[in-house]
Amino acid sequence: METRVHLPDMEPPSSISEVMVALRGKKLEPVHEKKSWGDWISFPGRQTVISIESMRGLTSSATVEYSEDDDIEINQRILAAFGKLGWMGSDEDGEFRLD
């Protein structure tokens, strides 16, 4: 299952550091990996990952790729972390707030 998260139009981008702090604030242990083909945030011992688009350390969109092998709580914590930063979610049903 995937959930796309993004900042509303006209909002300044978040830094990768801000995203990492927000995830840690939800009691997660994120690991940021910068690859030549994109950035990933993973969580030790979990299959769920975040594919995050960044340019010079700034980001305004990402895709949370939730693994059914993980409990639903990790997905809820990830979405809450992005919500704390003012991001929105979108899926096949449309756009929604991440409260």
Side-chain angles (χ1 to χ4, degrees), residues 52-71:
I52 192 159
E53 298 171 23
S54 73
M55 183 177 288
R56 295 185 303 273
L58 299 175
T59 182
S60 59
S61 65
T63 302
V64 179
E65 298 177 21
Y66 171 70
S67 171
E68 292 184 13
D69 292 337
D70 293 335
D71 58 44

Side-chain angles (χ1 to χ4, degrees), residues 19-33 40-52 62-67 70-71 73-79 81-82:
V19 171
M20 297 294 283
V21 167
L23 291 166
R24 287 186 196 107
K26 296 298 177 185
K27 301 192 185 323
L28 295 169
E29 299 176 14
V31 175
H32 175 230
E33 299 175 60
W40 287 93
I41 297 175
S42 59
F43 305 90
R46 307 289 187 124
Q47 298 298 315
T48 296
V49 296
I50 302 168
S51 171
I52 192 159
T63 302
V64 179
E65 298 177 21
Y66 171 70
S67 171
D70 293 335
D71 58 44
E73 187 178 332
I74 188 173
N75 195 45
Q76 293 167 337
R77 288 182 185 187
I78 291 168
L79 296 180
F82 280 102

